[in-house]
Amino acid sequence: MNRRIASVNQIQVNTVNFSGILSIGDTETSKQISRGIALQKEGSYFTKKDELFFEDYPLFKMEPKIVVSNNNNVQMKTYQHNENIHVQRVKVVGVTTSSIMQVGSLRHIEAVAWLKHFRKLMD
């Protein structure tokens, strides 16, 4: 990987949560894993009957299928007109659920998120 120096004058990030990462500097490997259950219920009260558990859903037992390419037939040439990357300002609303906001080099990334949504409506 051809490394370059990244220079950012100002970074404004509102929220980082749920396995989100804000990384400043070079990173060799980043691996984020997140799982979540979202329940949207009509009405204002949650009871014990509304509890949901990861082990009740096969989705959360699945292993991710990582695609590994052994095909090295792609040839690419890049021309970098400047050895540095200069950015004046970056504004980010949110970094969440196994995502990354990276300033710098990143050699390898693996990000997985399992999320199951439910809606419970009143009769």
Side-chain angles (χ1 to χ4, degrees):
M1 178 172 55
N2 202 3
R3 293 187 176 206
R4 299 166 71 188
I5 293 178
S7 170
V8 180
N9 287 349
Q10 182 183 28
I11 297 176
Q12 179 182 345
V13 179
N14 191 32
T15 304
V16 178
N17 61 9
F18 302 125
S19 294
I21 296 173
L22 170 60
S23 177
I24 298 173
D26 294 337
T27 302
E28 182 67 28
T29 301
S30 179
K31 183 175 182 178
Q32 301 92 249
I33 298 174
S34 178
R35 61 184 191 158
I37 296 177
L39 172 59
Q40 181 181 10
K41 181 180 176 184
E42 194 173 24
S44 59
Y45 295 103
F46 285 85
T47 65
K48 273 284 205 206
K49 290 186 342 184
D50 295 316
E51 288 185 0
L52 301 170
F53 302 96
F54 293 122
E55 57 269 10
D56 293 337
Y57 302 96
L59 167 72
F60 297 110
K61 295 177 183 136
M62 295 172 63
E63 288 295 319
K65 294 180 180 169
I66 307 299
V67 177
V68 178
S69 175
N70 293 329
N71 185 355
N72 295 326
N73 293 333
V74 176
Q75 294 190 10
M76 181 175 91
K77 288 187 179 184
T78 57
Y79 298 97
Q80 298 168 351
H81 300 286
N82 193 329
E83 63 185 27
N84 299 324
I85 300 169
H86 297 283
V87 178
Q88 183 64 33
R89 184 173 179 205
V90 177
K91 283 182 81 172
V92 177
V93 174
V95 180
T96 185
T97 317
S98 293
S99 61
I100 186 169
M101 193 281 183
Q102 174 77 32
V103 176
S105 300
L106 177 61
R107 185 174 297 279
H108 178 77
I109 183 170
E110 187 176 318
V112 180
W114 292 271
L115 188 55
K116 181 75 175 166
H117 286 270
F118 291 94
R119 287 195 178 124
K120 286 190 177 182
L121 304 176
M122 296 183 348
D123 293 332

